[in-house]
């Protein structure tokens, strides 16, 4: 063999060895992309829960598909471990587009109330002559009041200049409503309860100024259909939060937030 031929043979051998090393290294670095499918056939799959969808434990088929089909957890959400649907609730965060009845530990459909047969209690805020509200014993200007809806639905009616600048907080699982008639509820701040249905109704020139409604887990609505004219048209800011149903009529101005859903 000539010196030139020997050098060519040596170069070829080195090149083949280098390619072989690269090929082996490539095999070592290869991995299976689980997003394409599962496998090999017969291996476990599923046993996960995410975004309210549970995939029970199953096995991979010859076609690369898991034998377990995803299913919705509704009205529950996924459990804390992210492996299955929750089977009980302690707060509405454990429910999916639903409300937690903490007394029974069960998720209830949106707009749930403990007992529809319980009559509502209407509170009319009547001034006692000294600028205070005799029903609650507070000054109506820039003061706070709690509406206790723990045992029955409660409605607060505000008239004239009543409830201007007031902070009204609802408490309990029963429905809570504030009705604002002419010239009332200017700069009102309404904060809904964690579980009860909540609503604000504005009549005539009620709800002028910057009115705020903070929603929670249950349905939350603002009704301003009586307001269509002049400078008293309201600006209402509504924070839907995790409300399972958060609505505002178009006539309520442009201060509303987005739709609700999910958990508080």
């Amino acid at each position: 063999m000539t010196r030139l031929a020997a050098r060519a043979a040596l170069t070829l051998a080195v090149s083949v060895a280098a390619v072989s090393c690269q090929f082996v290294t490539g095999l070592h670095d290869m991995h299976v992309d689980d997003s394409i499918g599962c496998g090999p056939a017969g291996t476990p799959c599923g046993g996960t829960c995410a975004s309210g969808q549970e995939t029970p434990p199953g096995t991979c088929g010859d076609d690369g598909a898991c034998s377990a089909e995803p299913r919705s957890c509704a009205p529950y959400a996924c459990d804390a471990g992210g492996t299955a649907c929750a089977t009980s609730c302690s707060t509405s965060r454990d429910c999916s587009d639903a409300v937690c009845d903490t007394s029974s530990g069960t998720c209830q459909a949106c707009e749930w109330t403990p007992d529809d047969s319980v009559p509502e209690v209407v509170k009319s805020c009547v001034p006692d002559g000294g600028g205070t509200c005799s029903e609650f014993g507070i000054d109506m200007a820039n003061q706070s009041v709690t509406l206790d809806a723990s045992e029955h639905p409660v409605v607060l009616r505000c008239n004239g200049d009543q409830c201007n600048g007031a902070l009204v907080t609802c408490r309990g699982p029963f429905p809570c409503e504030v009705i604002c008639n002419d010239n009332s509820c200017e700069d009102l701040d309404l904060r809904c309860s964690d579980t009860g249905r909540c609503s604000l109704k504005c009549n005539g020139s009620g709800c002028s100024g910057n009115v705020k409604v903070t929603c929670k887990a249950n349905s939350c609505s603002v009704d301003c259909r009586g307001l269509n004219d002049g400078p008293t048209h309201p600006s209402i800011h509504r924070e839907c939060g995790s409300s399972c149903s958060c609505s505002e009529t178009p006539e309520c101005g442009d201060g509303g937030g987005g739709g609700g859903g999910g958990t508080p």
Side-chain angles (χ1 to χ4, degrees):
M1 179 182 294
T2 65
R3 182 178 296 178
L4 182 60
R7 181 177 297 176
L10 180 60
T11 302
L12 177 62
V14 172
S15 299
V16 170
V19 171
S20 298
C21 288
Q22 291 175 1
F23 180 69
V24 171
T25 301
L27 287 177
H28 177 73
D29 292 340
M30 285 179 65
H31 66 278
V32 177
D33 186 353
D34 295 331
S35 66
I36 297 175
C38 68
T43 56
C45 61
T48 58
C49 190
S51 302
Q53 292 284 323
E54 176 194 41
T55 303
T59 55
C60 295
D62 294 331
D63 59 354
C66 185
S67 63
E69 292 289 333
R71 61 192 181 194
S72 173
C73 291
Y76 293 92
C78 295
D79 62 14
T83 58
C85 296
T87 56
S88 63
C89 64
S90 57
T91 71
S92 292
R93 288 190 296 271
D94 301 322
C95 303
S96 176
D97 294 328
V99 183
C100 181
D101 174 11
T102 55
S103 63
S104 64
T106 57
C107 293
Q108 303 289 340
C110 193
E111 299 189 13
W112 164 83
T113 188
D115 188 350
D116 288 320
S117 65
V118 178
E120 66 183 17
V121 173
V122 178
K123 294 181 177 293
S124 296
C125 189
V126 180
D128 62 3
T132 61
C133 175
S134 60
E135 185 77 45
F136 305 106
I138 64 166
D139 290 329
M140 285 313 295
N142 304 311
Q143 296 296 318
S144 62
V145 59
T146 298
L147 301 180
D148 188 358
S150 58
E151 297 181 354
H152 49 69
V154 61
V155 177
L156 171 65
R157 296 182 184 274
C158 301
N159 301 294
D161 59 358
Q162 297 168 359
C163 306
N164 290 344
L167 169 61
V168 179
T169 302
C170 297
R171 182 180 66 189
F174 282 91
C176 181
E177 180 176 67
V178 176
I179 299 176
C180 301
N181 295 317
D182 280 334
N183 301 317
S184 66
C185 301
E186 179 179 351
D187 299 324
L188 172 74
D189 187 349
L190 172 61
R191 301 181 184 181
C192 302
S193 74
D194 290 335
T195 55
R197 297 202 318 253
C198 190
S199 60
L200 171 68
K201 291 186 178 180
C202 305
N203 298 318
S205 58
C207 301
S208 62
N210 295 311
V211 175
K212 180 180 179 181
V213 180
T214 303
C215 306
K216 291 296 181 65
N218 213 326
S219 64
C220 182
S221 63
V222 178
D223 184 351
C224 302
R225 286 175 292 187
L227 292 162
N228 292 310
D229 57 340
T232 60
H233 196 76
S235 174
I236 296 179
H237 178 69
R238 178 211 53 202
E239 295 182 356
C240 284
S242 59
S243 170
C244 60
S245 175
C246 187
S247 62
E248 180 178 346
T249 59
E251 293 81 2
C252 285
D254 57 2
T263 57

